[in-house]
């Protein structure tokens, strides 16, 4: 290294806190999550294969068409995982244990080429009775395709850190 070159030490880089704390959520608040995600035939086949979901609807287009679908069917759990993933930045990126999904309904099949988007509404929030410095937030999340048709809907809860616990 030359004497005029500066050594950058990663520990000196400014950091940015990601996600939201408990106090940032308001009951009734609606959030349209960013981006969307187009699912491909490769996504569908890879997911079905790696999860051992050997239903020919998920990897045999001729079979899927014979059953009345326009193409392969994307495994519903891949659609669910995609919709949850699209919501993470707005809902749970700050961390805190995922407490589960309730009232899950798959409304219509997803096919390769469909683009899923996600939105959530805050249903409830309360301080945790057992974890000081945390609250429980519950959201209703919906996933829609590029036509605005409801694909999947569910409620989801997370333990979310309170701002006071970070200080």
């Amino acid at each position: 290294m030359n004497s005029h070159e500066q050594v950058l030490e990663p520990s000196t880089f400014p950091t940015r806190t990601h996600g939201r704390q408990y106090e940032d959520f308001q009951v009734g608040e609606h959030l349209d999550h960013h981006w969307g995600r187009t699912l491909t035939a490769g996504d569908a086949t890879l997911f079905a294969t790696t999860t051992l979901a050997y239903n020919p609807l998920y990897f045999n287009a001729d079979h899927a068409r014979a059953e009345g679908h326009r193409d392969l069917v994307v495994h519903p759990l891949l659609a669910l995982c995609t919709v949850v993933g699209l919501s993470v930045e707005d809902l749970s990126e700050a961390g805190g244990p995922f407490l589960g999904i309730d009232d899950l309904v798959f409304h219509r099949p997803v096919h390769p080429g469909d683009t899923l988007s996600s939105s959530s509404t805050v249903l409830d929030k309360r301080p945790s009775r057992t974890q000081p410095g945390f609250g429980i937030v519950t959201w209703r999340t919906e996933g829609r395709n590029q036509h605005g048709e409801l694909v999947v809907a569910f409620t989801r809860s997370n333990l979310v850190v309170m701002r006071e616990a970070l200080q």
Side-chain angles (χ1 to χ4, degrees):
M1 175 184 335
N2 297 330
S3 61
H4 65 280
E5 290 180 26
Q6 182 180 6
V7 175
L8 296 177
E9 174 60 40
S11 65
T12 66
F13 294 176
T15 60
R16 182 173 70 97
T17 302
H18 294 278
R20 301 169 76 184
Q21 282 78 52
Y22 176 80
E23 294 84 358
D24 297 326
F25 294 104
Q26 300 305 318
V27 173
E29 177 183 11
H30 181 82
L31 299 138
D32 288 318
H33 307 302
H34 62 80
W35 306 338
R37 166 82 157 79
T38 302
L39 295 172
T40 68
D43 295 326
T45 303
L46 181 63
F47 186 87
T49 302
T50 57
T51 61
L52 304 177
Y54 293 121
N55 181 330
L57 289 175
Y58 304 145
F59 55 81
N60 182 322
D62 289 335
H63 178 80
R65 282 191 283 276
E67 294 295 323
H69 295 278
R70 62 184 161 115
D71 199 346
L72 295 174
V73 175
V74 172
H75 194 295
L77 292 180
L78 176 55
L80 172 64
C81 290
T82 300
V83 169
V84 169
L86 291 169
S87 74
V88 165
E89 185 175 357
D90 293 325
L91 304 184
S92 58
E93 188 173 36
F98 172 66
L99 300 176
I101 287 178
D102 293 303
D103 306 318
L104 172 63
V105 177
F106 295 102
H107 291 273
R108 65 178 3 94
V110 174
H111 298 96
D114 283 348
T115 299
L116 300 183
S117 61
S118 180
S119 65
S120 298
T121 301
V122 180
L123 296 181
D124 188 43
K125 66 181 260 190
R126 65 173 178 79
S128 172
R129 291 187 273 274
T130 60
Q131 299 294 319
F134 287 87
I136 296 172
V137 181
T138 301
W139 305 274
R140 179 72 179 166
T141 299
E142 295 182 343
R144 295 182 181 274
N145 65 20
Q146 69 274 16
H147 305 294
E149 299 166 324
L150 186 61
V151 171
V152 62
F154 53 91
T155 57
R156 165 184 172 208
S157 297
N158 273 72
L159 199 61
V160 179
V161 70
M162 293 179 166
R163 194 165 278 112
E164 68 189 47
L166 297 174
Q167 298 171 354

